[in-house]
Amino acid sequence: LHKEYRRQRQMCIRDRNYARVDDATRAQSAASSNSLDASGGVALDGVPYAFSSLHFHTPAENTLDGAANAMEMHLVHFAADGSGAIAVLGVLFKYAAEERLADATAERLLADVAADGGARRIAIEPGALWDKDSGYFRWQGSLTTPPCTGGVSWVLQKEVRTVSRAAVARFREHLGDGAFPGNARPTQPLNGRTVRAFEPKDA
C-alpha cells in the first residue's frame, strides 16, 4: 500500500468522477447528526465525514504485497464540520470467477458509465458499496487526481470484491487512450509514513 504525501500535479491521472451526491448540504447535515448510514458517511477518530462522490480506477492504485488488483473504487468524503478535511474509502476489486460472481452494485455502476459516460442520474445506497464487517488499512496520503491535495485520510477495505472482465473492458474503453494504462496513478513511496492495519474487532 503506497500513497504519496506531496502535491505533484504532473504525477496525477485525470479521472472521470461520475457519481456525486445531489445535495451535499443535506448529506453533511446527516453526517453531522451522526446519521451516517443515511448519508453514506464515515466517522474517523470521532469526526463524521459526509459522502460526496465516487469513481473507479483501473488497475487498482493501491497494491497488496506489491500486486495490483483489477480495479479500485474511491468513495470521497468531506468533514461535516466544514473544515475541508477529506477522507477516501477505497475498495479493491479482483476479477470474478465461477465460484464468486461479480459484485452486482459495482456492475450496475460500471454499466451506467459505459452506456452514457455517467451523464444520467442514478440512485445508489452508499452502505452497499463496502463491507462494514471487513478489516481495513489506514494511512495519511493525498488525492490521486489533480490537484493531488495532501492531508487526506485513507481507509482501504481489506475485503476484496469482484468485478467482471467485461465491465473492466468497457470502463477502459470509456476512458480512452491516455498517458498511462487505464487511469491509475503510479504507486508512490511511503516516505516514512506508516500504514496501520485494523481487524473487524478493532474497528
Side-chain angles (χ1 to χ4, degrees):
L1 301 170
H2 302 292
K3 287 289 172 184
E4 182 183 35
Y5 187 75
R6 54 180 176 167
R7 302 181 185 193
Q8 283 201 348
R9 187 177 296 267
Q10 69 269 24
M11 288 298 292
C12 296
I13 313 303
R14 291 202 174 275
D15 192 30
R16 298 186 183 185
N17 282 352
Y18 69 91
R20 190 175 299 276
V21 171
D22 286 336
D23 188 345
T25 301
R26 183 174 60 189
Q28 286 195 345
S29 176
S32 62
S33 64
N34 292 323
S35 301
L36 297 177
D37 289 340
S39 70
V42 297
L44 298 178
D45 303 322
V47 178
Y49 289 78
F51 172 69
S52 174
S53 64
L54 71 83
H55 57 269
F56 288 89
H57 293 274
T58 183
E61 294 185 311
N62 290 299
T63 60
L64 297 175
D65 296 325
N69 278 280
M71 180 168 274
E72 183 171 349
M73 177 175 63
H74 290 164
L75 297 104
V76 182
H77 300 72
F78 288 90
D81 61 8
S83 65
I86 302 172
V88 178
L89 173 60
V91 181
L92 300 173
F93 290 84
K94 63 184 178 181
Y95 287 122
E98 185 175 346
E99 64 274 11
R100 189 174 179 188
L101 301 178
D103 181 273
T105 301
E107 290 287 306
R108 182 167 66 88
L109 289 169
L110 290 166
D112 284 328
V113 173
D116 59 13
R120 183 167 60 89
R121 286 189 177 184
I122 57 175
I124 61 172
E125 292 291 338
L129 298 173
W130 69 84
D131 183 357
K132 62 182 178 60
D133 296 319
S134 171
Y136 56 90
F137 301 99
R138 280 192 64 180
W139 69 95
Q140 288 296 113
S142 61
L143 295 179
T144 66
T145 56
C148 295
T149 304
V152 175
S153 296
W154 278 88
V155 180
L156 182 68
Q157 177 176 291
K158 281 188 174 182
E159 179 66 24
V160 179
R161 292 196 166 192
T162 52
V163 65
S164 68
R165 293 181 182 274
V168 174
R170 288 195 302 269
F171 185 66
R172 283 182 177 270
E173 183 178 353
H174 163 69
L175 293 174
D177 296 329
F180 296 92
N183 65 334
R185 184 187 189 188
T187 301
Q188 304 298 311
L190 284 171
N191 291 329
R193 288 170 293 126
T194 300
V195 176
R196 294 179 292 164
F198 296 84
E199 297 301 328
K201 64 179 181 299
D202 301 325

